[in-house]
Amino acid sequence: MPRLNKLATAPHGALGGDPAPRSLSRLRTALTLFFALDGFLFAGWVVRIPAIKEQTGSSASDLGLALLGVSAGAVVTMTLTGRLCRRFGSHPVTVASAVLLSLGIALPALTHSALALGLVLLVFGTGYGAINVAMNSAAVDLVAALRRPVMPSFHAAFSLGGMLGAGLGGLVAGGLFPAAHLCALTVTGLLLTAGAGPVLLRHPSPAPPGPPARPTRADGGTRGRRPDARSRRLVTVFGVIALCTAYGEGALADWGALHLSQDLHAHPGVAAAGYSLFALAMTAGRLSGTVLLERLGQTTTLVAGGVTAAAGMLLGSLAPEVWAVLLGFAVTGLGLANIFPVAVARAGALAGPAGVAAASTLGYGGMLLGPPVIGFLAEWFSLPVALTSVAVLAAGAAVIGYRVRGAVAPGRTE
């Protein structure tokens, strides 16, 4: 994780010197833990999807419809979470959302039909959507105070949490019932929230360094001018880039293990390890993301990532051998690693926190809409063919990123 920038200035009211860096460091650690928890819980759920599918007796299309419950709950919540953050602050909303997510993850194991599964996934999706918007909003404020492009480090924590969650899920997949596993995740989530939550609740979001160039907005944003029509259009474009790449992350999370077990007859532990390997590759890519952005720039990082992900997913979806599919998943993870953080950061450079919220909502919408779309495509064609859509969208993100390469002024790193 990048070292804390010692030039970061204090939030309003701090007296300068050492207290400000220590406060920012504590906030960064606590917020990193929430990103990791989000990935850990989400991965713990997705590696049990094959078992839940069997428990509920769902077909591929039935499962796709049930997974739409996560999408519906999350996307609707995302449109409201920004208002909650403006009214109550992103830190309290992050903590409350973590509690709801932790409680919601235990519910799928209690269901025995696709309809019941879809209904309880609405609750899980509500917590998932809320925490992702809230913690990204908190991260934007902290990145502005640190004055370094460290957003990938937060998303690295999400990927690391996903890797750990999938790895542990793979270890217990053969011997622990889904109910026991998911209830253990609930306890873990509540304990971590109880430990890290007070740090966020005690500290307000940090203000950016230096006086704003223009008056701050009435919606509580702390930096940037009010976006014009062109900026809003570009924010939507970067949101589409985030959607294209998050679609792949969601698709691999929900269908990667099933592809390995169903189409290649891999052992359940190996199938679960597929997502773990993907998450490990994303973690490695995001841990190096700040260095890549500082050395290569945003456009090169984004375009190269999209091309790499497209090539890796073609291998991962169409290869006939387990080892080749696992390699493809890893390459895909490396390619996708920094595209979402770059897209969100560029949206923020154009329109401040409102831009980040819009791009994040579109991006996470792609992550949540991808799995049901894959389910329908798998029903119509086959799962390997359905997974090639990940490669198509990753390549599309690279093309769009190149076309809007001049949208943000050089040197903007927030």
Side-chain angles (χ1 to χ4, degrees):
M1 186 175 294
R3 186 174 300 170
L4 181 67
N5 189 344
K6 294 183 179 179
L7 294 178
T9 58
H12 290 309
L15 297 178
D18 294 334
R22 285 200 300 269
S23 177
L24 292 179
S25 180
R26 287 193 295 269
L27 282 176
R28 184 175 181 182
T29 299
L31 193 55
T32 298
L33 288 174
F34 278 106
F35 272 86
L37 175 65
D38 186 33
F40 180 78
L41 294 180
F42 187 73
W45 148 245
V46 300
V47 299
R48 300 316 297 249
I49 285 178
I52 298 296
K53 178 178 182 291
E54 181 178 355
Q55 175 180 303
T56 57
S58 303
S59 66
S61 59
D62 290 337
L63 181 62
L65 284 172
L67 293 173
L68 195 59
V70 180
S71 306
V75 171
V76 171
T77 303
M78 285 175 175
T79 63
L80 302 175
T81 303
R83 298 177 185 175
L84 293 175
C85 289
R86 287 193 295 270
R87 180 172 181 179
F88 301 106
S90 58
H91 291 179
V93 176
T94 298
V95 175
S97 302
V99 172
L100 179 59
L101 181 67
S102 299
L103 294 174
I105 198 171
L107 299 178
L110 306 178
T111 62
H112 297 280
S113 69
L115 176 60
L117 178 62
L119 291 175
V120 301
L121 287 179
L122 284 170
V123 179
F124 180 72
T126 296
Y128 185 75
I131 193 173
N132 277 288
V133 171
M135 68 185 184
N136 270 288
S137 297
V140 167
D141 290 335
L142 186 54
V143 166
L146 294 173
R147 299 198 303 180
R148 289 193 65 202
V150 298
M151 183 68 86
S153 70
F154 292 114
H155 290 264
F158 175 87
S159 298
L160 179 60
M163 180 192 70
L164 294 175
L168 290 175
L171 290 176
V172 303
L176 195 63
F177 288 116
H181 178 205
L182 296 182
C183 285
L185 294 180
T186 292
V187 173
T188 302
L190 293 176
L191 288 175
L192 192 147
T193 301
V199 177
L200 294 188
L201 296 176
R202 286 195 302 265
H203 296 85
S205 297
R214 301 184 185 184
T216 56
R217 297 191 308 279
D219 63 4
T222 55
R223 52 187 180 99
R225 54 183 170 78
R226 187 178 298 276
D228 55 19
R230 177 179 179 274
S231 295
R232 288 194 295 270
R233 287 195 298 269
L234 287 170
V235 164
T236 302
V237 170
F238 289 124
V240 170
I241 293 175
L243 183 153
C244 288
T245 55
Y247 171 96
E249 190 170 351
L252 277 173
D254 281 10
W255 294 100
L258 196 60
H259 172 52
L260 284 163
S261 61
Q262 171 183 289
D263 299 319
L264 287 88
H265 309 291
H267 183 274
V270 175
Y275 181 73
S276 181
L277 186 61
F278 169 78
L280 174 62
M282 289 200 77
T283 303
R286 286 171 169 173
L287 287 173
S288 61
T290 298
V291 174
L292 289 175
L293 288 170
E294 290 176 335
R295 294 186 178 182
L296 302 180
Q298 294 176 332
T299 298
T300 302
T301 301
L302 191 156
V303 173
V307 172
T308 301
M313 199 59 228
L314 287 176
L315 178 64
S317 58
L318 301 177
E321 300 291 338
V322 171
W323 68 266
V325 172
L326 293 175
L327 176 61
F329 284 3
V331 173
T332 303
L334 286 173
L336 294 180
N338 293 303
I339 301 179
F340 188 99
V342 167
V344 170
R346 295 185 76 172
L350 284 163
V356 173
S360 296
T361 300
L362 280 170
Y364 282 110
M367 178 182 290
L368 296 166
L369 290 173
V373 170
I374 293 290
F376 288 119
L377 291 175
E379 190 77 8
W380 295 333
F381 303 103
S382 68
L383 184 54
V385 171
L387 289 173
T388 61
S389 63
V390 174
V392 173
L393 290 183
V399 172
I400 296 171
Y402 181 77
R403 292 291 299 272
V404 296
R405 58 192 179 276
V408 181
R412 296 292 298 274
T413 59
E414 62 268 48

